[in-house]
Amino acid sequence: MDPEDRIEEASAGAPDTASAADEKESPSRDARSLVDRMVTAGEWPEPALMERIVAAGDEAVEPLLEVVRTEPEGWPDEPPLYNAVGLLGEMRPPGAIPALVDVIRRIKGETGKATGDALARFGADGFEALLGLIRDPSIVGYLRLHLITGARSAAAGDPGKLSRLAELLRQLFAEIIPLAREYRKGGPRAMELAGGNEHDDDVAMNAIPPDEDLAHLAEKLSALADPLAFDMIRAGYEEGIVDTGILSLNDIKADYEAGGRPLYEQGSWLEEYRARYSDDLDMQRRLATMRPYEFPARSSYPSPEQMRSEPWPPPAPQAGPIRNAAAKLGRNDPCWCGSGKKYKKCHLGKDAPS
């Protein structure tokens, strides 16, 4: 065989390594392109796009994590991060957990709460991460309460995990009791204890006065029907350091008698996103069809010159004292009622002031 023919035959039988490499990398490029489109779309990417990102699987994880590691300055820059967190919660790649924990420590607003929901979808791994965040002293108030709910969801009814969560909540309750006592006394520290002078906006937004915090923690413990917490909770109510406007002691007792409170089951993040997307579209349609309010033209307003040229109305006459102009009726005069009797024998006693 001719050497050139042999070379051509070998070339024909050998795989095209460049083409194979392109085919291997194309799913990753496609996933990155989808995530880029999500970022460009802003707050409301189409649900079909989000579904395609989830379907891309592992190839989409790193591009989503790159979005998660960004540090947006609030809305409208934050929605891509918010959506990336939700998608990772739907996909549940274990390697994403540290990045999600970092988001909650950095961003303590609505995106932080959404990240807590994403961690709850990871199950046992998410539970451990949430337990660590609940212990974090920089996470307080409403955000911490939200993470407690997420940890209970991630526990998925596991008695061991629920017992560990209840133990942590009892510790928090005991730590807040002296703060609630001091807060109830009032004084210069009351504002500080309520979080009113916190310089971190996100922390201040989540801050709760200690007596309210105790009430919320009591609600979390009674929802678990934790037997070791009941006496401590009751003592707090009897001492008057728990805000009864949030939850009464009778409500606590009812939860314990019922064996706890059922947990709200988390659904699919994609399904929730489709519902929110549809609601936003409906709102936009309603706003588009609303008739704009028409303000009166400026020409219809009275001019200041005309108002100044009108004379002021004359002052109302001052009323003098009210006097009885009729002649005074004597005791021996005929009664005014026409009975024919003397006034003293008829109406004098009735007309006299009591």
Side-chain angles (χ1 to χ4, degrees):
M1 180 182 292
D2 189 285
E4 292 183 3
D5 293 337
R6 194 177 292 114
I7 293 173
E8 289 177 5
E9 183 179 347
S11 300
D16 186 345
T17 55
S19 299
D22 288 344
E23 288 176 5
K24 187 176 180 180
E25 292 177 1
S26 62
S28 177
R29 288 203 302 268
D30 289 344
R32 184 172 296 278
S33 173
L34 293 172
V35 173
D36 289 343
R37 285 170 56 190
M38 180 200 76
V39 172
T40 303
E43 186 171 2
W44 292 113
E46 292 185 0
L49 174 60
M50 308 301 247
E51 292 165 8
R52 289 183 64 189
I53 293 174
V54 171
D58 292 342
E59 302 295 341
V61 171
E62 186 54 39
L64 287 171
L65 286 175
E66 290 176 9
V67 178
V68 166
R69 295 184 188 109
T70 60
E71 298 189 12
E73 296 290 336
W75 241 253
D77 299 330
E78 210 165 305
L81 170 57
Y82 186 98
N83 290 329
V85 160
L87 288 168
L88 288 169
E90 183 80 1
M91 299 162 68
R92 297 186 291 279
I97 290 178
L100 296 177
V101 169
D102 182 62
V103 169
I104 295 174
R105 289 200 168 110
R106 286 189 291 118
I107 304 176
K108 299 180 174 65
E110 290 304 312
T111 298
K113 293 176 182 177
T115 309
D117 295 339
L119 281 173
R121 290 186 167 92
F122 280 76
D125 292 336
F127 175 82
E128 298 299 333
L130 286 165
L131 221 59
L133 287 164
I134 294 166
R135 293 190 187 98
D136 190 329
S138 71
I139 295 171
V140 299
Y142 292 115
L143 177 57
R144 183 169 63 191
L145 293 170
H146 195 86
L147 299 181
I148 291 169
T149 302
R152 186 185 171 197
S153 175
D158 183 305
K161 290 184 175 61
L162 293 176
S163 176
R164 291 173 59 201
L165 176 60
E167 181 183 4
L168 176 55
L169 298 186
R170 292 196 302 271
Q171 292 173 6
L172 292 174
F173 194 96
E175 290 170 6
I176 296 172
I177 285 175
L179 302 178
R181 288 176 180 147
E182 190 173 358
Y183 176 76
R184 282 295 178 110
K185 290 178 184 177
R189 274 211 72 205
M191 181 70 76
E192 179 185 348
L193 290 170
N197 60 348
E198 177 58 57
H199 297 295
D200 186 330
D201 290 342
D202 282 339
V203 173
M205 177 179 61
N206 283 292
I208 306 176
D211 58 345
E212 293 183 24
D213 211 0
L214 285 181
H216 286 293
L217 287 172
E219 184 269 332
K220 301 297 183 188
L221 284 163
S222 69
L224 294 168
D226 176 46
L228 300 177
F230 182 76
D231 289 341
M232 179 173 60
I233 294 171
R234 181 174 58 188
Y237 275 93
E238 290 174 352
E239 188 180 344
I241 57 174
V242 181
D243 189 336
T244 57
I246 293 171
L247 201 70
S248 71
L249 185 56
N250 287 334
D251 296 328
I252 298 288
K253 291 177 179 177
D255 282 344
Y256 272 89
E257 289 170 2
R261 196 177 302 171
L263 179 66
Y264 170 75
E265 294 291 336
Q266 273 192 328
S268 161
W269 183 85
L270 274 177
E271 290 178 3
E272 293 176 3
Y273 180 81
R274 288 189 204 100
R276 289 186 287 112
Y277 181 87
S278 178
D279 290 344
D280 184 74
L281 281 183
D282 288 342
M283 183 183 68
Q284 295 299 332
R285 291 190 194 101
R286 287 196 300 270
L287 290 174
T289 56
M290 282 178 61
R291 183 178 176 183
Y293 181 79
E294 297 180 0
F295 289 92
R298 278 182 172 272
S299 59
S300 65
Y301 297 165
S303 66
E305 289 76 12
Q306 289 176 338
M307 293 175 66
R308 283 197 292 268
S309 63
E310 293 176 0
W312 288 97
Q318 292 185 353
I322 300 174
R323 302 180 186 279
N324 188 359
K328 187 175 181 181
L329 196 63
R331 291 169 53 84
N332 293 315
D333 292 334
C335 186
W336 53 265
C337 71
S339 64
K341 298 178 183 179
K342 290 185 179 181
Y343 182 48
K344 67 182 178 181
K345 297 286 188 179
C346 192
H347 272 83
L348 176 61
K350 297 176 183 178
D351 290 346
S354 59

